[in-house]
Amino acid sequence: AKLWSAASGECLRSLGGHQNGVNSAAFSPDGQEVLTASDDRTAKLWSAASGECLRSLGGHQNGVNSAAFSPDGQEVLTASDDRTAKLWSAA
């Protein structure tokens, strides 16, 4: 996944670490973190400022199609081709 400047179109950061395609990406409500979902069966939490992977959320048996933060940013919900949704702590 890549973070882009909306104003200039410049790539600000590359978030490398998934072993397969990335299906979705979203900012946390406070804008400090980025959440990605991948066909590699993981979701990852990243620092928006540094691009560092803060946490890898593994446990799905198939690719993760989407991931979203709760409105307060304290939890993450993932949905997978394995026919499950999982709720994770974002802390």
Side-chain angles (χ1 to χ4, degrees):
K2 294 182 184 277
L3 295 177
W4 300 86
S5 166
S8 69
E10 173 188 1
C11 179
L12 303 174
R13 230 162 294 338
S14 289
L15 308 176
H18 282 294
Q19 301 303 306
N20 215 323
V22 175
N23 296 316
S24 72
F27 280 99
S28 61
D30 65 6
Q32 299 299 305
E33 295 178 348
V34 174
L35 174 64
T36 56
S38 172
D39 283 333
D40 68 7
R41 301 183 295 182
T42 69
K44 292 184 184 292
L45 287 167
W46 309 83
S47 165
S50 70
E52 174 188 1
C53 182
L54 303 173
R55 195 158 162 221
S56 185
L57 308 173
H60 283 290
Q61 300 304 306
N62 286 331
V64 181
N65 296 318
S66 66
F69 282 96
S70 61
D72 64 5
Q74 296 300 302
E75 296 175 315
V76 166
L77 182 66
T78 57
S80 170
D81 281 335
D82 65 11
R83 295 187 270 163
T84 67
K86 294 185 183 289
L87 189 62
W88 314 77
S89 171

